[in-house]
Amino acid sequence: MRLDQVADVQRRRLGDRDRYPLAGAQPQPHRARRPRGSGVSAPLAGDRVVEQPGPPGRVDLAVASVAGISRAHAQRLVGDGRVLVEGRRVRSSDRLRGGELIRVELSAPPDPTLQPESIPLRLAYEDEAMLILDKPAGLVVHPSAGHSSGTLVNALLGRARQSGERLGSIAGVERAGIVHRLDRDTSGLMVVAKTDAAQASLMRQFALRTVEKEYLALVRGAAPATQGRIEAPVGRDPRDRQRMAVVAGGREAVTEYDVLDAGNGHSLLALHPLTGRTHQIRAHLTYLGLPIVGDSRYGGGIGPGGLTRQFLHAARLRLARPVDGSPLEAWSALPADLAGSLAAVGLGSERLPQGVGARAGESG
């Protein structure tokens, strides 16, 4: 099958409808693209360990069913040895007859190698079950080779120690309540769970694609339409293993976009990823011939005003609060470096959020 058959950009004009109002202070509710099922509740209800007879079929699907988690999450637990079937470790691909006792350990044991650190964090929202933080560019999310300290995980552990609160651990202590991630040089909103029940709820919402996300990007070039939808599979770039690209056989990836302003060889875009592939927005925009300014890895070069990091900012989130299922919207204004780059090219929009904050609605 040719790539142009599996990677299609669908363009459409949708009139003057805005997804969000002018500033961040009082955003209007945005209709969620909800698939079947709820993104709020899960059978585990905060239990540390789930033990139930499993249905017939693959182990990973059975674990997802009894624990109320996504298949990908179930596969991680199986790989970590936190799933036992009739007292024995199993593989995700093993098959069950049905009725076997499945034991799922949802909370991970402490990891003494992860050290709490006092790193200031700016919050957009916080309640007893979760928080939404405004991540600065340059902050690595998870410890890794070359980044054993100074990460967001270290900062969250330090904050939890100081406040006496815990963090969700069902995805592993090294994730410290984190349910999604941003690249090191992407700024903006991230969700963190304080409890296992909240983490399960939030992970389920992300898995069901009911969390609405809006990113802002400044790109080189003109978009093919004022609004559009990019449907193109994303996988590892065969020419550069450090990059992702649109490739035949890649994973399904869908991104919608709106042009907020354009001129002087640049376009300011609002992007709404409907899937969560690694580097999805960067790969999709490169595929369209619209590299993000400042993104040297994907051909964006130095941006206006001398910007040397990618102009990509997670500006808005809408999800259901785990505590009561009510809608929650959060927003984050462009940081100073991105605002300066935008001003240098002479673009702007009344739809850009102002300040950092959130608003919770009433449960329906």
PDB file of all heavy atoms in Angstrom, residues 101-118:
ATOM      1  N   LEU A 101      -7.464 -17.259  38.876  1.00  0.00           N
ATOM      2  CA  LEU A 101      -7.370 -16.132  39.801  1.00  0.00           C
ATOM      3  C   LEU A 101      -6.230 -15.218  39.361  1.00  0.00           C
ATOM      4  O   LEU A 101      -5.073 -15.646  39.285  1.00  0.00           O
ATOM      5  CB  LEU A 101      -7.131 -16.619  41.227  1.00  0.00           C
ATOM      6  CG  LEU A 101      -7.062 -15.507  42.293  1.00  0.00           C
ATOM      7  CD1 LEU A 101      -8.398 -14.786  42.398  1.00  0.00           C
ATOM      8  CD2 LEU A 101      -6.642 -16.077  43.652  1.00  0.00           C
ATOM      9  N   ILE A 102      -6.567 -13.954  39.100  1.00  0.00           N
ATOM     10  CA  ILE A 102      -5.577 -12.952  38.697  1.00  0.00           C
ATOM     11  C   ILE A 102      -5.347 -12.009  39.867  1.00  0.00           C
ATOM     12  O   ILE A 102      -6.298 -11.460  40.441  1.00  0.00           O
ATOM     13  CB  ILE A 102      -6.056 -12.161  37.469  1.00  0.00           C
ATOM     14  CG1 ILE A 102      -6.260 -13.092  36.272  1.00  0.00           C
ATOM     15  CG2 ILE A 102      -5.074 -11.060  37.114  1.00  0.00           C
ATOM     16  CD1 ILE A 102      -6.801 -12.389  35.046  1.00  0.00           C
ATOM     17  N   ARG A 103      -4.077 -11.833  40.206  1.00  0.00           N
ATOM     18  CA  ARG A 103      -3.711 -10.890  41.261  1.00  0.00           C
ATOM     19  C   ARG A 103      -2.917  -9.754  40.633  1.00  0.00           C
ATOM     20  O   ARG A 103      -1.879  -9.985  40.006  1.00  0.00           O
ATOM     21  CB  ARG A 103      -2.875 -11.565  42.344  1.00  0.00           C
ATOM     22  CG  ARG A 103      -2.551 -10.661  43.536  1.00  0.00           C
ATOM     23  CD  ARG A 103      -1.718 -11.412  44.570  1.00  0.00           C
ATOM     24  NE  ARG A 103      -1.621 -10.690  45.822  1.00  0.00           N
ATOM     25  CZ  ARG A 103      -0.724  -9.729  46.072  1.00  0.00           C
ATOM     26  NH1 ARG A 103       0.169  -9.395  45.141  1.00  0.00           N
ATOM     27  NH2 ARG A 103      -0.702  -9.128  47.251  1.00  0.00           N
ATOM     28  N   VAL A 104      -3.413  -8.526  40.784  1.00  0.00           N
ATOM     29  CA  VAL A 104      -2.790  -7.345  40.178  1.00  0.00           C
ATOM     30  C   VAL A 104      -2.366  -6.391  41.280  1.00  0.00           C
ATOM     31  O   VAL A 104      -3.209  -5.930  42.071  1.00  0.00           O
ATOM     32  CB  VAL A 104      -3.751  -6.624  39.218  1.00  0.00           C
ATOM     33  CG1 VAL A 104      -3.037  -5.470  38.511  1.00  0.00           C
ATOM     34  CG2 VAL A 104      -4.333  -7.592  38.209  1.00  0.00           C
ATOM     35  N   GLU A 105      -1.070  -6.122  41.369  1.00  0.00           N
ATOM     36  CA  GLU A 105      -0.561  -5.140  42.334  1.00  0.00           C
ATOM     37  C   GLU A 105      -0.491  -3.794  41.627  1.00  0.00           C
ATOM     38  O   GLU A 105       0.334  -3.562  40.746  1.00  0.00           O
ATOM     39  CB  GLU A 105       0.825  -5.532  42.843  1.00  0.00           C
ATOM     40  CG  GLU A 105       1.359  -4.578  43.901  1.00  0.00           C
ATOM     41  CD  GLU A 105       2.765  -4.928  44.363  1.00  0.00           C
ATOM     42  OE1 GLU A 105       3.328  -5.902  43.833  1.00  0.00           O
ATOM     43  OE2 GLU A 105       3.288  -4.213  45.226  1.00  0.00           O
ATOM     44  N   LEU A 106      -1.385  -2.892  42.021  1.00  0.00           N
ATOM     45  CA  LEU A 106      -1.512  -1.617  41.323  1.00  0.00           C
ATOM     46  C   LEU A 106      -0.530  -0.580  41.828  1.00  0.00           C
ATOM     47  O   LEU A 106      -0.095   0.287  41.069  1.00  0.00           O
ATOM     48  CB  LEU A 106      -2.943  -1.101  41.462  1.00  0.00           C
ATOM     49  CG  LEU A 106      -3.981  -1.952  40.731  1.00  0.00           C
ATOM     50  CD1 LEU A 106      -5.372  -1.634  41.232  1.00  0.00           C
ATOM     51  CD2 LEU A 106      -3.877  -1.736  39.242  1.00  0.00           C
ATOM     52  N   SER A 107      -0.190  -0.610  43.103  1.00  0.00           N
ATOM     53  CA  SER A 107       0.754   0.354  43.661  1.00  0.00           C
ATOM     54  C   SER A 107       2.140  -0.260  43.697  1.00  0.00           C
ATOM     55  O   SER A 107       2.327  -1.377  44.185  1.00  0.00           O
ATOM     56  CB  SER A 107       0.330   0.770  45.078  1.00  0.00           C
ATOM     57  OG  SER A 107      -0.923   1.392  45.045  1.00  0.00           O
ATOM     58  N   ALA A 108       3.112   0.469  43.198  1.00  0.00           N
ATOM     59  CA  ALA A 108       4.475  -0.040  43.158  1.00  0.00           C
ATOM     60  C   ALA A 108       5.184   0.195  44.499  1.00  0.00           C
ATOM     61  O   ALA A 108       4.867   1.140  45.225  1.00  0.00           O
ATOM     62  CB  ALA A 108       5.261   0.650  42.051  1.00  0.00           C
ATOM     63  N   PRO A 109       6.137  -0.646  44.863  1.00  0.00           N
ATOM     64  CA  PRO A 109       6.905  -0.434  46.088  1.00  0.00           C
ATOM     65  C   PRO A 109       7.832   0.765  45.955  1.00  0.00           C
ATOM     66  O   PRO A 109       8.145   1.194  44.846  1.00  0.00           O
ATOM     67  CB  PRO A 109       7.706  -1.736  46.216  1.00  0.00           C
ATOM     68  CG  PRO A 109       7.830  -2.246  44.818  1.00  0.00           C
ATOM     69  CD  PRO A 109       6.549  -1.868  44.138  1.00  0.00           C
ATOM     70  N   PRO A 110       8.283   1.336  47.064  1.00  0.00           N
ATOM     71  CA  PRO A 110       9.180   2.484  46.995  1.00  0.00           C
ATOM     72  C   PRO A 110      10.476   2.165  46.261  1.00  0.00           C
ATOM     73  O   PRO A 110      10.953   1.036  46.269  1.00  0.00           O
ATOM     74  CB  PRO A 110       9.452   2.806  48.483  1.00  0.00           C
ATOM     75  CG  PRO A 110       8.322   2.178  49.225  1.00  0.00           C
ATOM     76  CD  PRO A 110       7.945   0.960  48.454  1.00  0.00           C
ATOM     77  N   ASP A 111      11.034   3.180  45.615  1.00  0.00           N
ATOM     78  CA  ASP A 111      12.309   3.056  44.901  1.00  0.00           C
ATOM     79  C   ASP A 111      13.332   3.942  45.609  1.00  0.00           C
ATOM     80  O   ASP A 111      13.267   5.173  45.506  1.00  0.00           O
ATOM     81  CB  ASP A 111      12.143   3.482  43.444  1.00  0.00           C
ATOM     82  CG  ASP A 111      13.422   3.285  42.638  1.00  0.00           C
ATOM     83  OD1 ASP A 111      14.498   3.079  43.238  1.00  0.00           O
ATOM     84  OD2 ASP A 111      13.359   3.363  41.397  1.00  0.00           O
ATOM     85  N   PRO A 112      14.277   3.342  46.344  1.00  0.00           N
ATOM     86  CA  PRO A 112      15.225   4.156  47.123  1.00  0.00           C
ATOM     87  C   PRO A 112      16.179   4.971  46.254  1.00  0.00           C
ATOM     88  O   PRO A 112      16.852   5.876  46.756  1.00  0.00           O
ATOM     89  CB  PRO A 112      15.985   3.106  47.939  1.00  0.00           C
ATOM     90  CG  PRO A 112      15.857   1.839  47.162  1.00  0.00           C
ATOM     91  CD  PRO A 112      14.499   1.903  46.515  1.00  0.00           C
ATOM     92  N   THR A 113      16.260   4.679  44.966  1.00  0.00           N
ATOM     93  CA  THR A 113      17.176   5.434  44.100  1.00  0.00           C
ATOM     94  C   THR A 113      16.592   6.775  43.681  1.00  0.00           C
ATOM     95  O   THR A 113      17.323   7.638  43.181  1.00  0.00           O
ATOM     96  CB  THR A 113      17.528   4.622  42.842  1.00  0.00           C
ATOM     97  OG1 THR A 113      16.358   4.475  42.028  1.00  0.00           O
ATOM     98  CG2 THR A 113      18.066   3.247  43.210  1.00  0.00           C
ATOM     99  N   LEU A 114      15.290   6.960  43.851  1.00  0.00           N
ATOM    100  CA  LEU A 114      14.660   8.231  43.487  1.00  0.00           C
ATOM    101  C   LEU A 114      14.680   9.162  44.690  1.00  0.00           C
ATOM    102  O   LEU A 114      14.079   8.865  45.728  1.00  0.00           O
ATOM    103  CB  LEU A 114      13.224   8.001  43.023  1.00  0.00           C
ATOM    104  CG  LEU A 114      13.043   7.269  41.689  1.00  0.00           C
ATOM    105  CD1 LEU A 114      11.574   7.015  41.425  1.00  0.00           C
ATOM    106  CD2 LEU A 114      13.656   8.078  40.555  1.00  0.00           C
ATOM    107  N   GLN A 115      15.353  10.282  44.554  1.00  0.00           N
ATOM    108  CA  GLN A 115      15.522  11.202  45.663  1.00  0.00           C
ATOM    109  C   GLN A 115      14.603  12.408  45.549  1.00  0.00           C
ATOM    110  O   GLN A 115      14.544  13.043  44.484  1.00  0.00           O
ATOM    111  CB  GLN A 115      16.980  11.681  45.729  1.00  0.00           C
ATOM    112  CG  GLN A 115      17.976  10.571  46.015  1.00  0.00           C
ATOM    113  CD  GLN A 115      17.697   9.894  47.343  1.00  0.00           C
ATOM    114  OE1 GLN A 115      17.456  10.555  48.360  1.00  0.00           O
ATOM    115  NE2 GLN A 115      17.731   8.566  47.343  1.00  0.00           N
ATOM    116  N   PRO A 116      13.868  12.742  46.616  1.00  0.00           N
ATOM    117  CA  PRO A 116      13.072  13.978  46.606  1.00  0.00           C
ATOM    118  C   PRO A 116      13.989  15.193  46.518  1.00  0.00           C
ATOM    119  O   PRO A 116      15.061  15.224  47.135  1.00  0.00           O
ATOM    120  CB  PRO A 116      12.333  13.945  47.945  1.00  0.00           C
ATOM    121  CG  PRO A 116      12.422  12.518  48.408  1.00  0.00           C
ATOM    122  CD  PRO A 116      13.704  11.987  47.865  1.00  0.00           C
ATOM    123  N   GLU A 117      13.590  16.183  45.749  1.00  0.00           N
ATOM    124  CA  GLU A 117      14.367  17.407  45.604  1.00  0.00           C
ATOM    125  C   GLU A 117      13.446  18.613  45.693  1.00  0.00           C
ATOM    126  O   GLU A 117      12.280  18.552  45.316  1.00  0.00           O
ATOM    127  CB  GLU A 117      15.116  17.417  44.265  1.00  0.00           C
ATOM    128  CG  GLU A 117      16.138  16.299  44.121  1.00  0.00           C
ATOM    129  CD  GLU A 117      16.859  16.346  42.777  1.00  0.00           C
ATOM    130  OE1 GLU A 117      16.929  17.433  42.176  1.00  0.00           O
ATOM    131  OE2 GLU A 117      17.314  15.286  42.314  1.00  0.00           O
ATOM    132  N   SER A 118      13.998  19.705  46.217  1.00  0.00           N
ATOM    133  CA  SER A 118      13.231  20.941  46.351  1.00  0.00           C
ATOM    134  C   SER A 118      13.370  21.754  45.063  1.00  0.00           C
ATOM    135  O   SER A 118      14.327  22.509  44.884  1.00  0.00           O
ATOM    136  CB  SER A 118      13.732  21.745  47.557  1.00  0.00           C
ATOM    137  OG  SER A 118      12.997  22.947  47.696  1.00  0.00           O
TER     138      SER A 118
END
